[in-house]
Amino acid sequence: MPQGEIRQRREVNLRIGAAVAEIEGLYAALLQTTRPQQRIRLLAELARAGRRLTFLAALPPGRQPPPSAPGSRRRRRRVLAARGAAWIIARYAGRDGGNRNGG
């Protein structure tokens, strides 16, 4: 695998990791808040963060994901990230005041 491709994959993985961490932080804050206005703002931010994660995790057309062993940590994390993003989108879609620009 060429050095540039390895570096590019690392960058993508770091960005996906940052997006997942952002979602975890927003969700933790959402669980702790009791103020309605703050809940609404956090829900909107959570929806945007979920869309960003979905955008980052999407592969370009014609590209296949790198092969992983069936029970590998990488495969499990990818599946869990996709499931989490789908859950966030399904749960909070339409609750962010119509802002659909992803950021």
Side-chain angles (χ1 to χ4, degrees), residues 44-94:
E45 288 182 31
L46 194 55
R48 283 191 294 273
R51 283 193 297 277
R52 274 194 300 274
L53 176 60
T54 302
F55 175 77
L56 287 171
L59 291 173
R63 293 233 10 221
Q64 294 296 319
S68 300
S72 72
R73 180 185 311 167
R74 183 173 290 172
R75 167 101 16 129
R76 287 192 306 269
R77 289 189 72 172
R78 187 179 301 124
V79 167
L80 288 174
R83 188 181 308 157
W87 178 83
I88 289 167
I89 290 169
R91 170 109 183 183
Y92 299 110

Side-chain angles (χ1 to χ4, degrees), residues 16-28 45-46 48-50 52:
I16 289 173
V20 169
E22 179 185 15
I23 288 170
E24 289 172 344
L26 288 168
Y27 186 68
E45 288 182 31
L46 194 55
R48 283 191 294 273
R52 274 194 300 274

